[in-house]
Amino acid sequence: MNRVYVGATSAVLAVAIGGAAVWTALNQESSCGGNAIAGGNVAIGGPFELMNGDGMLVTDGDVIDGPTLVYFGYTFCPDVCPFDVARNAIAVDILAEQGLDVTPVFISIDPERDTPEIVAQYAADMHPKMIGLTGSPEQVKAASQAYKTYYARGTGEGEFYLMDHSTFTYLMLPNTGLASYFGRDVQPEEMAEQTACHIAAN
C-alpha cells in the first residue's frame, strides 16, 4: 500500500519551500477557513510545459485560465490518488451547482507509465471537466518543483512499482496564483465552501 501521510508531506513541503518563516506563512488560517498564503509571497505554482491528453504541449497559462484545483498523482496509485481526485471532482460539482466554474487538473508524477492517452482516460473517468497532464521526466520534474511537491519511486518490481508522493490539492487563480491548499482530511463540502470564498474574495 502506498502510505503517504499529510504529516510527512507537510514536513517535506516545509523543508522544500525554504524554512520556518515560509512555513509559518503557509500555515496561517484564512478568513475563508483552512489555509491562507500570507501576503501572497509563497512561491508555489509557476510556469510549466506538459502534454495534455491529445499529446499537445500546453503551458500553465493554457490550463489555469480560471479557478483551478491542481493535484499531483499517478494513475496506477491504488489508494490515495483515487480518493483525493474523486473528492476534488465532487467539490467541483458542488461548486457548479452554485454557478461557479472550477477546473480539476491531474498532473502525473509517473511519466514512465502515464502516457497522454492514459492520463486522458483517467481524467475522463474521474470527471468530464478534468484535465490530465503528463510529460517527459524533465517536464514533470519542473512542474513538481514549481509546486514544491515531492515524489519518488517506491516499492514494487517491474511495471508494478508504486510511487511515494505528496498529496496536497492546490487552489490556483489565474491572476493571483496560489489561493489555498487542501490536505487529505478536507471533505468535498468544505473544499467547495472555501474555494467559493476565495473566488468571491478575488
Side-chain angles (χ1 to χ4, degrees), residues 48 63-64 68-72 88 103-107 130-133:
F48 62 70
V63 175
I64 305 173
T68 306
L69 293 171
V70 177
Y71 183 83
F72 288 77
N88 294 355
T103 301
V105 172
F106 175 86
I107 299 177
M130 187 169 290
I131 298 172
L133 300 174

Side-chain angles (χ1 to χ4, degrees), residues 4 6 71-72 77 79-90 122 126 130 165-169 182-186 191:
V4 184
V6 171
Y71 183 83
F72 288 77
C77 182
D79 46 16
V80 174
C81 304
F83 290 108
D84 290 351
V85 175
R87 182 272 312 269
N88 294 355
I90 294 170
Y122 184 85
M126 287 296 186
M130 187 169 290
H165 62 99
S166 52
T167 59
F168 291 109
T169 294
F182 305 98
R184 300 204 64 236
D185 58 332
V186 177
M191 176 181 280

Side-chain angles (χ1 to χ4, degrees), residues 7 10 21 38 64 77 93 105-106 108 113 116 118 132 140 142 147 156 171 174-175 194 199:
S10 296
I64 305 173
C77 182
D93 285 341
V105 172
F106 175 86
S108 173
R113 290 180 295 193
I118 289 174
V140 169
Y147 280 79
L171 172 59
N175 296 323
Q194 293 177 23
I199 293 173

Side-chain angles (χ1 to χ4, degrees), residues 32-57:
C32 290
N35 302 299
I37 309 304
N41 294 321
V42 179
I44 294 179
F48 62 70
E49 290 187 344
L50 294 165
M51 286 184 288
N52 65 15
D54 296 322
M56 296 177 57
L57 193 67

